[in-house]
Amino acid sequence: MTHQTVGHPGLPDDPRAAVTEPTPSCPVEITLDVLRGRWMTLVIRELLREELSFTELRQALPSLSDKVLADRLAHLVQWGVLERRRQPGWPPRTQYALTPHGRRLGPVLQTLWDWGNEL
Amino acid sequence: MTHQTVGHPGLPDDPRAAVTEPTPSCPVEITLDVLRGRWMTLVIRELLREELSFTELRQALPSLSDKVLADRLAHLVQWGVLERRRQPGWPPRTQYALTPHGRRLGPVLQTLWDWGNEL
DNA sequence: CTGAATCCCTGCCGATACTG
DNA sequence: CAGTATCGGCAGGGATTCAG
């Protein structure tokens, strides 16, 4: 963390903390964008336990459709949260594993859990 | 926090941490629901600085429309994040201030900032 | 097995106009 | 001043079908 402004304790001393409209360069927006969308946190939770294949994820989250699962995984790969490893041979198999950056979402989700669990 | 499960380190030992589909009772979903929607984090940021009236918020976030601002404020009041205080007399004036629970969103936003700022 | 393509439905968000 | 009412555009998400 950088140091705090004197006038606004608790807010980062960064120009992006002073924007007056939503912008993709704001770190808070970035994180919320990674987490955005139904099923997203559950997919991440499953992969925090262990790396899984497409089908294993489907079995873990039976009500999640193929299309949405593929969307979520592609989204996370694009953000550098997930690594996708195709296995050669037949039948095809693709393993999904969190990157180091992705694994650091664990504490973030814990923070969200704790606040939501308050009161 | 409660203690951790042995088999799944880093995940809360709570039935709600094992759900297989999105549910409103999950604390993570609760927090993300509070934070959901465009402009929401900026509105909260403004109120973390100091309590403000409707018009002061409009001035702080000029591109935010009346309707959406009213929606966001009502949403936050309903979640117990904001307290709404009507001043008697004319012209009408309504002050919005974070509750203690709402003020604890400061560290949550900081966590989101830090992760999004990584790399 | 691991997706991509398509269709449809819903809910969000913005703009505008209006009221106590 | 502090909202509400109404409308329309657009993107998200689910079901189904098809392909490498």
Side-chain angles (χ1 to χ4, degrees), chain A residues 55 84 92-94 96:
Chain A
T55 297
R84 175 175 154 168
R93 173 159 249 246
T94 312
Y96 290 92

Side-chain angles (χ1 to χ4, degrees), chain A residues 31-85:
Chain A
T31 307
L32 287 178
D33 193 30
V34 169
L35 262 26
R36 172 161 358 189
R38 213 154 119 85
W39 297 99
M40 188 57 92
T41 59
L42 293 180
V43 170
I44 293 170
R45 183 199 63 187
E46 292 304 318
L47 291 165
L48 279 170
R49 295 192 216 267
E50 53 178 343
E51 56 176 83
L52 294 167
S53 67
F54 193 88
T55 297
E56 286 168 338
L57 277 165
R58 267 202 310 209
Q59 290 168 347
L61 305 170
S63 306
L64 172 54
S65 75
D66 290 3
K67 181 211 176 221
V68 175
L69 176 55
D71 285 352
R72 296 294 173 267
L73 293 172
H75 189 246
L76 292 173
V77 168
Q78 205 149 12
W79 276 106
V81 167
L82 244 52
E83 186 195 2
R84 175 175 154 168
R85 289 198 299 268

Side-chain angles (χ1 to χ4, degrees), chain B residues 37-39 67-68 72 92:
Chain B
R38 213 155 121 83
W39 297 101
K67 180 205 176 232
V68 174
R72 295 293 173 269

